[in-house]
């Protein structure tokens, strides 16, 4: 593990206060933060996240981002670590670094090399699989270089950031998908170990800053899967912007939640109806409902304007972001 | 004492279970394997609705390494 200079901290008496996530750890010299990937050394903060465990070329649809450069690819990086401790996390072997005896497995990243690789394939760079906001320094470096090469940076994030971090990250991000995992504070805290309010604040703040925002909700029994909980989550998203795409994720029991039952297709279909009833224009289910669950319909005339295969674009019928039948604007960043 | 299995994260692995089967498996008990023999030895490809079940089975086979797709 290689420690490099971090940003987002300030002096707090004899401590250094990390201002990246809302936990706001106040660190003594040598102390590691609750995230396990940021530490104080002398009078500076350091991060271990200028690194990645993987370099994967994915379809942008896999993040999932359905309304951002459809059909393009994304070079995905992931440094170990997460600010959440979700007990259903399939990615726990990298996300729970510092807990569970997860070993450090990551190599240092050369941002210039990554940007050139992405540019050569017309790809974005994505930070995903673990919590990308913990790699904000890497994000800023990639975005600075990517701006000159037409390479945007995208996150799949839990949205657990401070206002200071949002102000720094917002201008660097082209698109984000934010997980909204529960409808209320109590169950969100039980699931993740963290409060919900900062997540919703991030949704609003990044949307207000002009970052393309999509949201995802896994249907977790007892946490988010009931109709009333889904309606609350959908209403929150719609209150920010009914044009935010909402991805409903089939839940598969994993990690420490093996006693649960997996989500059935009927439940996903019902959840999609709830999303539409809340006013959301674009509600998606990746696999369980077949191609219709992945299709984009014009909010004006209902015509199908984008069709998708699993993790792939099939056909984009929009003309300059509008429906070819009725001319209604379909929200998104549709340019390749 | 058996060796410790390490996990390697890969971009893609083929599906062996289709979405049309989800409704037929409300408890998520379905596990499916494809076993093949190639130049590098025996390859066991697995798919399951409950990932931890598949991982336990594959680990019991004692491989040096298991390939896994990540979520997100």
């Amino acid at each position: 593990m290689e420690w490099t200079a971090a940003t987002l901290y300030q002096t707090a008496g004899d401590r250094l206060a990390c201002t990246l996530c809302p936990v706001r750890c106040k660190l003594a010299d040598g102390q590691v933060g609750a995230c396990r990937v940021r530490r104080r050394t002398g009078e500076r903060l350091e991060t271990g996240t200028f690194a990645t465990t993987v370099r994967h070329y994915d379809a942008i649809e896999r993040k999932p981002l359905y309304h951002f450069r459809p059909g393009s690819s994304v070079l995905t990086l992931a440094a170990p670590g997460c600010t959440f401790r979700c007990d259903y996390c399939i990615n726990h072997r990298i996300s729970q670094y510092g807990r569970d005896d997860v070993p450090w497995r990551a190599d240092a990243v050369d941002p210039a090399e990554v940007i050139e690789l992405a540019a050569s394939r017309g790809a974005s760079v994505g930070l995903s699989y673990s919590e990308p906001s913990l790699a904000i320094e890497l994000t800023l470096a990639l975005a600075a270089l990517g701006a000159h090469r037409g390479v945007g940076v995208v996150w799949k994030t839990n949205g657990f950031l401070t206002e200071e971090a949002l102000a720094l990250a917002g201008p660097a991000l082209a698109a984000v998908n934010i997980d909204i995992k529960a409808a209320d504070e109590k169950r969100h805290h039980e699931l993740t170990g963290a409060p919900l309010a900062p997540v919703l604040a991030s949704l609003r703040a990044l949307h207000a800053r002009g970052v393309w925002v999509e949201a995802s909700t896994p249907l977790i029994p007892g946490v988010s899967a009931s109709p009333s909980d889904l309606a609350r989550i959908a209403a929150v998203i719609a209150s920010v912007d009914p044009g935010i795409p909402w991805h409903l994720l089939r839940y598969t029991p994993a990690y420490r939640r093996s006693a649960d039952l997996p989500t059935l297709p009927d439940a996903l279909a019902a959840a999609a109806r709830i999303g539409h009833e809340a006013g959301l224009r674009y509600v998606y289910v990746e696999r369980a409902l077949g191609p219709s669950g992945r299709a984009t319909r014009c909010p004006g005339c209902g015509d199908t304007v984008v069709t998708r295969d699993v993790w792939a674009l099939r056909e984009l019928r929009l003309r300059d972001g509008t429906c070819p039948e009725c001319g209604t604007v379909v929200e998104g960043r549709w340019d390749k | 004492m058996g060796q410790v299995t390490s996990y390697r994260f890969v971009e893609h692995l083929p599906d062996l279970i289709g979405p049309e089967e989800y409704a037929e498996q409300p408890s998520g008990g379905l596990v499916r394997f494809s076993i093949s023999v190639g130049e590098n030895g025996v390859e066991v490809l697995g798919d399951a609705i409950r990932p931890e079940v598949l991982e336990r089975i594959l680990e019991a086979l004692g491989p040096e390494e298991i390939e896994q797709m990540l979520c997100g």
Side-chain angles (χ1 to χ4, degrees):
Chain A
M1 187 174 188
E2 183 178 342
W3 294 93
T4 58
T7 185
L8 288 169
Y9 61 95
Q10 60 192 29
T11 301
D14 63 348
R15 302 287 179 124
L16 283 188
C18 177
T19 57
L20 173 58
C21 96
V23 175
R24 295 184 182 274
C25 293
K26 293 183 173 61
L27 302 173
D29 192 12
Q31 191 176 358
V32 179
C35 63
R36 315 307 298 166
V37 295
R38 289 167 72 82
R39 75 175 184 188
R40 175 178 173 182
T41 299
E43 295 309 308
R44 75 172 193 170
L45 215 65
E46 297 177 320
T47 177
T49 59
F50 217 90
T52 188
T53 303
V54 299
R55 290 180 183 219
H56 288 173
Y57 282 102
D58 298 321
I60 196 78
E61 284 80 7
R62 193 182 155 190
K63 296 299 98 186
L65 288 166
Y66 274 16
H67 288 223
F68 179 81
R69 302 188 69 217
S72 67
S73 63
V74 53
L75 174 53
T76 300
L77 311 178
C82 188
T83 43
F84 283 3
R85 305 176 183 198
C86 303
D87 55 7
Y88 72 100
C89 184
I90 291 173
N91 299 347
H92 62 92
R93 290 185 179 91
I94 60 170
S95 71
Q96 295 306 298
Y97 170 76
R99 311 164 192 133
D100 296 356
D101 294 325
V102 172
W104 181 265
R105 294 191 301 172
D107 298 317
V109 172
D110 176 352
E113 180 204 5
V114 168
I115 291 299
E116 287 310 308
L117 280 172
S120 70
R121 295 177 61 154
S124 305
V125 174
L127 280 76
S128 180
Y129 302 152
S130 53
E131 177 43 43
S133 59
L134 287 172
I136 195 164
E137 295 82 6
L138 176 57
T139 299
L140 296 172
L142 291 166
L145 293 167
H148 302 291
R149 300 286 280 126
V151 176
V153 180
V154 305
W155 278 2
K156 174 75 168 79
T157 178
N158 64 22
F160 194 60
L161 288 84
T162 61
E163 289 182 11
E164 300 96 304
L166 289 166
L168 200 57
L173 294 170
V176 297
N177 186 306
I178 299 177
D179 281 329
I180 302 176
K181 298 170 188 269
D184 63 51
E185 287 288 350
K186 180 174 181 290
R187 282 174 293 170
H188 192 272
H189 199 282
E190 288 172 353
L191 179 76
T192 68
L196 172 62
V199 178
L200 303 182
S202 294
L203 181 79
R204 295 187 187 95
L206 290 172
H207 179 269
R209 287 178 180 277
V211 178
W212 178 254
V213 174
E214 305 194 13
S216 293
T217 298
L219 273 64
I220 304 173
V223 178
S224 60
S226 75
S228 60
D229 288 332
L230 290 163
R232 288 177 68 181
I233 294 170
V236 167
I237 299 169
S239 73
V240 178
D241 186 341
I244 292 176
W246 190 32
H247 299 266
L248 297 161
L249 308 182
R250 188 174 66 98
Y251 167 75
T252 53
Y255 192 32
R256 295 193 173 113
R257 289 185 74 98
S258 57
D260 290 336
L261 292 173
T263 312
L264 289 172
D266 286 351
L268 288 158
R273 285 194 294 274
I274 288 167
H276 288 298
E277 287 166 6
L280 292 173
R281 298 186 190 114
Y282 315 106
V283 183
Y284 297 111
V285 174
E286 174 70 37
R287 288 172 183 263
L289 304 184
S292 67
R294 301 185 287 268
T296 301
R297 293 172 187 82
C298 170
C301 68
D303 195 47
T304 299
V305 291
V306 187
T307 54
R308 300 174 181 86
D309 297 317
V310 174
W311 296 338
L313 175 69
R314 182 182 293 179
E315 183 182 16
L316 179 68
R317 296 183 58 236
L318 296 170
R319 292 179 189 155
D320 297 326
T322 65
C323 174
E325 299 298 326
C326 71
T328 297
V329 171
V330 178
E331 292 94 333
R333 307 284 164 85
W334 301 106
D335 293 339
K336 284 249 180 172
Chain B
M1 188 172 153
Q3 64 187 345
V4 176
T5 300
S6 66
Y7 279 77
R8 186 162 67 90
F9 309 117
V10 297
E11 288 180 352
H12 179 72
L13 291 169
D15 290 323
L16 299 179
I17 297 174
E20 66 281 1
E21 296 177 280
Y22 298 159
E24 301 164 4
Q25 301 289 331
S27 64
L30 179 63
V31 183
R32 189 165 284 151
F33 293 98
S34 170
I35 302 173
S36 58
V37 180
E39 291 180 357
N40 297 320
V42 177
E43 179 183 88
V44 180
L45 175 66
D47 197 355
I49 294 176
R50 292 177 175 271
E52 86 279 5
V53 172
L54 176 61
E55 289 171 6
R56 285 208 303 271
I57 294 171
L58 292 175
E59 287 178 10
L61 297 174
E64 289 181 19
E65 184 176 80
I66 294 175
E67 294 183 345
Q68 178 192 357
M69 285 184 69
L70 294 166
C71 177

